[in-house]
Amino acid sequence: MSKTPFDASALHERFDRLDHARLPERVVNARGAGAHGYFEAYESMVSLTRADFLREKGRRTPVFVRFSTVSGFRGSTDLARDVRGFAVKFYTEEGNYDLVGNNMPVFFIQDAMVFPDLVQAAKPDVHNEMPQAATAQDAYWEFISHMPESMHMIMWAMSDRAIPRSYRMMEGFGVHTFRMVNAAGEGCFVKFHWKPALGLHAVTWDEAIKISGNDPDFHRRDLFDAIEAGEYPEWEFGVQVVDEKDRHAFDFDLLDPTKLIPEEVVPVRRIGKLVLDRNPRNYFAETEQVAFHPGHVVPGIDLSEDPLLQGRVAAYARAQALRLGVGDGHDLPINRGSAPSRDRSRFRGHGSRSDAFRDHFTQARMFLHSQSEPEYNHLCHALEFELGKVSSPAVRQRMLFMLAQVDEDLAASVGKGLGMPVPRKNDRSLDGPAPDTRDSQKLPWLPARDVPVSPALSMANSRQSGIATRKVAVLIADGYDRNDLAMMRKALESSGAWVRIVAPQLGAIPSHRDTVEADFSFRTGDSVLFDAIYIPGGRKSVDALKRHVEVGDFVRDSWRHCKPIAASGAGVELLAGLPGTVSGPGKLRAAHGVVVAPGKASDAMADAFVQAIAKGRHWARETLA
Ligand code: HDD
C-alpha cells in the first residue's frame, strides 16, 4: 500500500488562510451587517459647506454602511434590547468621510473618560461572562443609577426604538453637533439625521425574545434579502442647521451629547438620499474589516468642541490599530479612499462646560411625555423587566429615585411592578457619590423642567409609506380556496408585500388541480417571522389546520403582537375566541386590525387588509380585555 507523503507546507498554507480570516472582534458593536450603496445630493449646499459631495444636485458618492448592536458578542442575537450603530463611510472625491452614528440621537454620557466604565457595565460580567447581549443585570444598572446624565438615553434605550423591526425601518443620527464650513470660511452648527423611507417600526418584547430563538440573524437576513430582491433600503439625509450666533440660543447646551434639538424647534431639512443596492461579497473583507473613525471628515465638515466627540476622535484610531493589527487599517481595500484621508485626531481637550450640562432630566421628561400611550406602556414594561432582573435592592431603589427625577408617575408605575415603594424625589440620602467615586466630582444636578412635547419623538408619528417588503404569512393545507388565495396574493403583491405560504409540510400543497409551493412548514415558520397573517377559506384546508397546535399559536401570537390578521370563508373559524373578532354573518368588518369575510375574499376585504398592514401594529389590542 503506497502512502501519500505528508506535505506540511501545503497544510500550513491552507491553515494560515483559515486562521487569517479572523480578527479580534470589536470591543463594542461587534455584531453587525453591512451593505454598499450610494448617496445622492438633492440640492447644492455650497452656501453652507464646501464639502464636494454636497456641492451639486444629483451628485452621487459611493458609500458603505454598517449597522450593529452594541453590547453583544459577534455571534449574539440581532434582537437584543440595545442601541443600534449606524455607521456610514462616504468614499468622496476628497477622501473618506465617516459618519459614525446610532439609531438614537443622544448618548449615555457627556465625558469620554467614563466610556470604558459604561462598556464594562454593559458587557457580560468578568467572572462568569454572563449575561450575553443584555443589560438586564446588576452591573449595568448600578452604573446607570450613578449616572444621572444617562437618564435621557435610558428613556430611548427602554423604548421600542431598541427593538427595531428592521435596520431598514429605523432612523439614524450623527448624535453630536458638528459644524459645516463654506468656501468663505463661514461656519454653522449641524445635527445629522437619516430618515427611513419605510417609516419607523418596532417589534414587541415578547416577539424579540421569540425571534432570537427562531432566527438570531433576523435583521442581518432582512437587510440581505431586501437588497437581493432589488428592494433597496433607502433613507433621506437630513440636517438641522443652527447659525453660529445662536450657539447659546437654547435652554440646553448645543454641544452636550445627551441633548437633542426638537424637530419642532429646528426643522430637519432633507438634503439627499442614501440607497443600499449591493450586498458584500465577502463578509470578512468588507463588513468585518471596515474601520470607521469619527475623526475622518472632509473639508467643509468639521468637528465641534463636544467633549464626548473629542474623546471619540482620540479613541477610534487606537481601537482600529489594535483590532486590525495593520497600522490603522486604512490600506485595506474596504477602507481605501480615492484621496488621502484627513485625520482630525487632535484631542482638543474638554473645554469648559456650561451649567446646562447639569440639566439631566428635562429632555428625558420631554421624550417620555412625547410618547403615545402604547409606547409609554412599553417603556414602563421594559424598565420593569430590566430592573426586575437586578438582584440588589439598593440598585433598584436608586434607579427608582432616578426615574422619579424624570417623572414621578413613571417611577410609581415601575415601582409597582417591582413591588417596591418609590423613594421621595427629594430624598437626598440617595444622592450620594458612587462607592468607587466615579461621580464624586460631579456638580449637583438641576431639576427637570416642563418644556413643550416633541411629537417627532414618537414612532407613531413617523411618516409611513405603504406595505412594501412587509411579510404576510398565508396559512393553508390541502384543499385551500384557490380563488381566495389568488385574489389576496394579487392585492398584497401589487402593493409590494411579500407573500409566504406556511403549511403543515414543505413541498406542493394541492387544491383541486392546482398546487402551490409551501415556503415554510409549521416547523420552520413561526408567527414572529412575519408582519401579518391571512387564512383563506376551504373547508378541508381549515379542518386540517385545526388539527395543528402550531396554528393556534400562530394566530394567538399574531393577535398578541398586534399584527394585522385576515381570514375568509371557513378560515374565520380559526379566529374564534380572539377578543377582536367581530364578524357578523355575511358582514365584513375590520376592527383592531382584524379583517374577516365570512364568505369569499373580496376586493374590499383585500383593500381593508392592505390598509391594516400599512398602519403597522394595532396597539389598541393590548388594552382590550
Ligand atoms: Fe463608538 C465603535 C457609535 C461613543 C469608542 N461606535 C462604534 C460603532 C458605532 C459607534 C456605530 C461601530 C462602527 C462599526 O460599525 O464598525 N460611539 C458611537 C456613538 C457614540 C459613541 C454614536 C456617541 C455619540 N465610542 C463612543 C465613545 C468611545 C467610543 C465615547 C470612546 C471614547 N466606538 C468606540 C470604539 C469602537 C466603537 C471602541 C469599537 C470598535 C471600533 O470603534 O471600531 O473605538
Side-chain angles (χ1 to χ4, degrees):
M1 222 167 69
S2 71
K3 260 193 181 170
T4 315
F6 177 65
D7 182 347
S9 76
L11 184 123
H12 287 152
E13 198 184 302
R14 297 204 71 195
F15 277 73
D16 274 358
R17 214 173 299 150
L18 185 71
D19 296 339
H20 281 129
R22 294 283 179 282
L23 284 177
E25 65 178 40
R26 290 166 176 81
V27 179
V28 286
N29 302 74
R31 167 125 189 124
H36 298 269
Y38 62 87
F39 173 79
E40 184 175 316
Y42 284 165
E43 55 179 307
S44 168
M45 296 299 288
V46 289
S47 63
L48 295 179
T49 175
R50 67 193 186 89
D52 179 70
F53 78 105
L54 294 171
R55 182 197 295 278
E56 63 194 355
K57 180 174 182 281
R59 167 76 61 113
R60 278 196 181 187
T61 303
V63 298
F64 186 79
V65 178
R66 184 174 178 272
F67 303 106
S68 47
T69 54
V70 178
S71 66
F73 291 178
R74 224 184 107 185
S76 56
T77 172
D78 278 347
L79 262 291
R81 169 176 292 286
D82 201 351
V83 183
R84 299 298 183 286
F86 193 131
V88 182
K89 187 180 285 295
F90 298 79
Y91 302 93
T92 87
E93 305 265 316
E94 300 175 300
N96 293 351
Y97 167 40
D98 292 347
L99 183 51
V100 197
N102 281 341
N103 75 328
M104 299 178 189
V106 289
F107 201 64
F108 296 93
I109 51 175
Q110 294 168 329
D111 180 351
M113 251 353 162
V114 196
F115 187 74
D117 301 318
L118 168 69
V119 172
Q120 203 178 340
K123 284 276 176 182
D125 214 336
V126 283
H127 72 281
N128 60 11
E129 207 170 76
M130 293 194 281
Q132 181 56 242
T135 52
Q137 50 160 319
D138 282 59
Y140 181 77
W141 289 102
E142 204 265 322
F143 172 82
I144 295 295
S145 75
H146 287 289
M147 270 291 156
E149 72 205 45
S150 67
M151 223 39 61
H152 185 194
M153 181 63 166
I154 287 298
M155 294 298 120
W156 285 84
M158 294 299 115
S159 79
D160 292 346
R161 305 250 183 177
I163 38 173
R165 156 66 178 83
S166 158
Y167 289 140
R168 303 177 292 130
M169 300 170 197
M170 63 183 199
E171 283 178 302
F173 303 90
V175 182
H176 310 280
T177 296
F178 294 88
R179 288 179 73 245
M180 279 183 167
V181 184
N182 66 17
E186 296 154 346
C188 61
F189 290 107
V190 281
K191 289 267 194 200
F192 294 123
H193 297 248
W194 296 110
K195 300 274 189 192
L198 296 173
L200 292 175
H201 300 275
V203 299
T204 68
W205 179 238
D206 182 63
E207 231 180 323
I209 293 169
K210 291 173 178 166
I211 292 172
S212 291
N214 268 289
D215 185 6
D217 301 310
F218 188 74
H219 285 151
R220 179 181 281 200
R221 188 184 315 285
D222 168 276
L223 180 69
F224 186 89
D225 286 352
I227 295 174
E228 286 303 292
E231 292 281 356
Y232 300 137
E234 219 178 288
W235 288 260
E236 285 193 300
F237 188 51
V239 286
Q240 286 175 297
V241 181
V242 175
D243 255 31
E244 262 180 353
K245 69 171 177 12
D246 293 332
R247 159 81 177 82
H248 297 290
F250 303 90
D251 62 357
F252 52 88
D253 197 306
L254 201 55
L255 303 187
D256 175 351
T258 67
K259 307 296 191 305
L260 53 84
I261 314 177
E263 290 185 29
E264 294 77 8
V265 176
V266 178
V268 174
R269 180 167 155 193
R270 297 174 188 232
I271 63 168
K273 69 173 179 184
L274 167 70
V275 179
L276 298 180
D277 60 1
R278 184 159 60 87
N279 278 313
R281 294 177 54 165
N282 181 317
Y283 181 92
F284 177 75
E286 294 157 74
T287 311
E288 196 56 15
Q289 287 194 326
V290 70
F292 295 92
H293 184 342
H296 283 164
V297 289
V298 287
I301 308 273
D302 208 348
L303 308 177
S304 70
E305 301 282 332
D306 171 343
L308 188 75
L309 177 57
Q310 292 292 317
R312 289 182 74 193
V313 165
Y316 281 66
R318 284 176 67 91
Q320 308 301 6
L322 280 167
R323 184 168 72 88
L324 299 168
V326 279
D328 59 3
H330 289 97
D331 289 332
L332 293 167
I334 189 74
N335 297 320
R336 221 177 282 147
S338 48
S341 291
R342 283 169 191 76
D343 188 348
R344 305 287 162 94
S345 295
R346 255 176 326 115
F347 186 47
R348 284 185 272 190
H350 291 250
S352 64
R353 293 192 199 178
S354 67
D355 262 1
F357 269 78
R358 294 193 286 125
D359 177 359
H360 307 311
F361 305 116
T362 299
Q363 284 208 346
R365 188 174 172 84
M366 171 181 77
F367 177 83
L368 191 69
H369 291 175
S370 304
Q371 301 303 293
S372 64
E373 193 183 325
E375 287 172 309
Y376 181 97
N377 292 339
H378 298 167
L379 201 155
C380 287
H381 299 163
L383 282 164
E384 277 176 45
F385 173 87
E386 295 272 320
L387 299 176
K389 296 257 182 173
V390 166
S391 58
S392 156
V395 172
R396 286 184 184 176
Q397 200 190 24
R398 217 186 133 88
M399 268 315 300
L400 289 175
F401 175 67
M402 280 294 149
L403 295 177
Q405 307 305 316
V406 178
D407 183 283
E408 286 184 288
D409 290 341
L410 172 71
S413 158
V414 177
K416 185 160 175 256
L418 297 176
M420 285 176 82
V422 178
R424 277 181 307 109
K425 194 173 155 184
N426 297 324
D427 184 352
R428 285 303 191 178
S429 69
L430 286 166
D431 184 14
D436 58 3
T437 74
R438 197 159 34 212
D439 64 354
S440 61
Q441 272 113 53
K442 285 210 156 112
L443 294 166
W445 65 65
L446 302 170
R449 286 170 296 116
D450 272 311
V451 294
V453 297
S454 166
L457 297 178
S458 163
M459 292 172 72
N461 295 327
S462 74
R463 276 190 207 172
Q464 309 293 327
S465 64
I467 66 168
T469 73
R470 298 252 126 189
K471 279 189 173 173
V472 184
V474 179
L475 269 51
I476 59 165
D478 187 345
Y480 58 89
D481 185 318
R482 291 176 298 166
N483 296 330
D484 276 11
L485 174 60
M487 119 152 296
M488 194 57 107
R489 186 196 278 276
K490 191 162 157 244
L492 291 168
E493 289 182 345
S494 66
S495 304
W498 290 354
V499 172
R500 299 289 180 263
I501 303 294
V502 187
Q505 74 281 331
L506 295 175
I509 312 298
S511 172
H512 302 285
R513 278 182 305 278
D514 259 2
T515 61
V516 61
E517 279 296 310
D519 300 294
F520 293 88
S521 74
F522 293 142
R523 305 269 169 267
T524 62
D526 190 284
S527 130
V528 297
L529 303 175
F530 303 95
D531 296 298
I533 67 169
Y534 169 53
I535 308 168
R539 169 56 47 210
K540 195 174 155 206
S541 165
V542 170
D543 285 346
L545 292 177
K546 280 182 185 165
R547 290 194 292 272
H548 288 272
V549 62
E550 295 90 345
V551 173
D553 292 344
F554 216 107
V555 172
R556 267 188 307 277
D557 266 358
S558 299
W559 167 264
R560 174 172 176 193
H561 302 144
C562 304
K563 293 174 181 174
I565 300 174
S568 48
V572 178
E573 293 167 22
L574 288 170
L575 309 189
L578 296 182
T581 41
V582 287
S583 55
K587 267 200 257 160
L588 162 68
R589 305 263 304 270
H592 305 305
V594 178
V595 181
V596 290
K600 293 262 167 218
S602 64
D603 282 336
M605 178 210 184
D607 268 1
F609 190 38
V610 169
Q611 298 302 322
I613 300 172
K615 281 213 183 92
R617 300 298 170 97
H618 296 262
W619 299 120
R621 275 187 217 157
E622 289 184 325
T623 46
L624 289 180

